Amino acid sequence: MVSRCLQDVDDLEPEEIQALFAQAKAFKEILNRPIRKVPTLRGKGVLLFFAEPSTRTRASFETAAKILSADVTSITSSTSSLLKGESLADTFLTLSRLPFDLVVVRHPFEGMPGLVFKWFGKTVINGGDGCHAHPTQALLDAFTAQEKLGSLNGITVTYVGDLSHSRVFRSGTRLFQKLGARVAACAPPYFVPLGFQEAFPDVGLFRDVHEALRKSDTLIVLRVQKEREAPFYSEREYERLYGIDGEKLTRAKKGMVVMHPGPVVRGYELKREVLENEKTLILDQVENGVAVRMALLYMFLTGENRLEQ
Ligand code: CP
């Protein structure tokens, strides 16, 4: 089987994305069985290497691999021999001689999954690299929007918030556009990256959140990433202008859905009444994330695109 590196959504062919979604839909049924276990990946070794905090991505990949009966090993940078001075290259050279077939890597440095692929020599999936890409988040977001809205063709997907630091926005934009959606954004100037128009010529900017709400079919709200280099701004003003509350939600286009990759800063970018609103799909995204990652592990570890029930 050929080793692959999923750095971003462009590493998947359009027909692979559709096959992946069909497979995820089939796998989703397994999550509702009394015994959530199938032997599909028995004997395969999956390594999770996380050098940044994560709840969803890590737990989701681990759960996905275990449901498919793969053997899972988890390493974090803070408990590895990196702390004793070993380089990341030597760490992955070492790990390459253990019986792993695939690694999921999260790292703060952009492009790190590509380097890991060289050192490790086996399949690599990017679980989020700095501000660059988060392909599996994009896949589960598109899968969830398609599941809810029926089709992505011609819909408007709008990202609201900290675009500068968002790997979710970068990967999601590429994927939603590939699947026929229009992508727009809405953010204060201090969260719009330099060279935005050149980098994203097909992404329109809404003047304000009210316009975004009126014209969008899917609103993807982004967390302000205070752990990364932050601009100087008024949090109170941001919350007033860009935080989504029940009053703003009343102006939304009919049928619009709200998503958020998580983690959510409750009460800041989304108010309680929005989190509890039926338009909000955040927990569906989490659930779908397991099915989408099961499908991706299946595709990458077996080389199969045909449906497995
Ligand atoms: N959406 C996402 O990547 O969440 P975690 O940081 O919890 O993995």
Side-chain angles (χ1 to χ4, degrees):
M1 206 191 54
V2 182
S3 297
R4 299 180 62 168
C5 182
L6 180 70
Q7 294 212 63
D8 205 350
V9 293
D10 290 334
D11 296 311
L12 292 169
E13 300 297 329
E15 59 272 20
E16 285 186 306
I17 295 167
Q18 291 307 337
L20 189 91
F21 284 1
Q23 185 63 68
K25 198 173 165 191
F27 277 152
K28 206 174 155 180
E29 180 269 325
I30 298 171
L31 302 178
N32 296 319
R33 290 183 192 168
I35 298 175
R36 296 182 289 263
K37 196 83 164 176
V38 290
T40 311
L41 296 181
R42 200 162 51 195
K44 299 287 186 188
V46 170
L47 173 63
L48 308 178
F49 186 91
F50 277 64
E52 262 192 356
S54 169
T55 298
R56 274 147 287 272
T57 310
R58 188 170 151 192
S60 181
F61 265 116
E62 183 164 348
T63 307
K66 286 180 172 170
I67 291 172
L68 295 172
S69 300
D71 297 312
V72 184
T73 301
S74 192
I75 295 178
T76 59
S77 56
S78 59
T79 54
S80 76
S81 289
L82 287 164
L83 290 190
K84 300 177 190 167
E86 186 173 55
S87 71
L88 203 55
D90 283 333
T91 297
F92 275 101
L93 206 58
T94 303
L95 293 168
S96 73
R97 295 301 283 268
L98 293 174
F100 299 123
D101 301 288
L102 178 151
V103 63
V104 180
V105 178
R106 171 168 289 191
H107 201 280
F109 292 169
E110 299 176 12
M112 188 54 84
L115 287 174
V116 170
F117 186 54
K118 282 190 195 154
W119 301 323
F120 188 58
K122 302 176 202 178
T123 293
V124 176
I125 295 176
N126 183 3
D129 60 330
C131 302
H132 173 233
H134 196 350
T136 61
Q137 183 68 46
L139 288 164
L140 75 90
D141 290 348
F143 179 83
T144 305
Q146 183 168 290
E147 180 181 64
K148 191 70 182 175
L149 301 175
S151 167
L152 299 179
N153 208 26
I155 70 159
T156 298
V157 178
T158 302
Y159 287 86
V160 176
D162 183 358
L163 307 174
S164 303
H165 297 115
S166 184
R167 55 196 180 203
V168 172
F169 164 68
R170 285 177 181 76
S171 291
T173 295
R174 309 274 313 142
L175 185 64
F176 277 110
Q177 287 180 336
K178 261 175 192 272
L179 296 172
R182 276 190 298 268
V183 177
C186 182
Y190 46 85
F191 283 148
V192 177
L194 284 174
F196 180 85
Q197 293 299 344
E198 292 75 32
F200 304 99
D202 300 326
V203 176
L205 276 173
F206 284 124
R207 279 192 312 274
D208 58 40
V209 163
H210 299 298
E211 186 186 19
L213 283 159
R214 277 200 316 277
K215 296 184 176 171
S216 304
D217 301 287
T218 298
L219 200 74
I220 303 185
V221 181
L222 302 167
R223 182 176 62 89
V224 174
Q225 299 191 30
K226 292 182 187 166
E227 71 275 26
R228 308 202 195 269
E229 201 179 325
F232 183 75
Y233 71 102
S234 158
E235 290 190 10
R236 189 175 285 193
E237 186 188 74
Y238 179 84
E239 184 181 337
R240 182 172 63 79
L241 295 177
Y242 293 92
I244 310 297
D245 58 18
E247 194 278 322
K248 288 194 183 92
L249 202 61
T250 60
R251 303 164 192 238
K253 183 175 174 181
K254 192 167 179 288
M256 190 201 79
V257 294
V258 179
M259 304 206 295
H260 190 301
V264 174
V265 181
R266 187 176 269 263
Y268 186 52
E269 64 250 15
L270 290 175
K271 299 289 180 201
R272 181 185 53 78
E273 65 271 20
V274 179
L275 287 165
E276 291 170 3
N277 194 289
E278 60 181 16
K279 292 182 199 296
T280 301
L281 306 180
I282 297 172
L283 297 179
D284 298 277
Q285 288 171 265
V286 173
E287 188 180 336
N288 285 337
V290 176
V292 166
R293 288 173 174 125
M294 285 168 74
L296 192 63
L297 291 174
Y298 171 69
M299 184 185 275
F300 277 16
L301 286 172
T302 65
E304 291 288 355
N305 283 348
R306 67 184 161 74
L307 276 187
E308 169 82 11
Q309 302 291 334

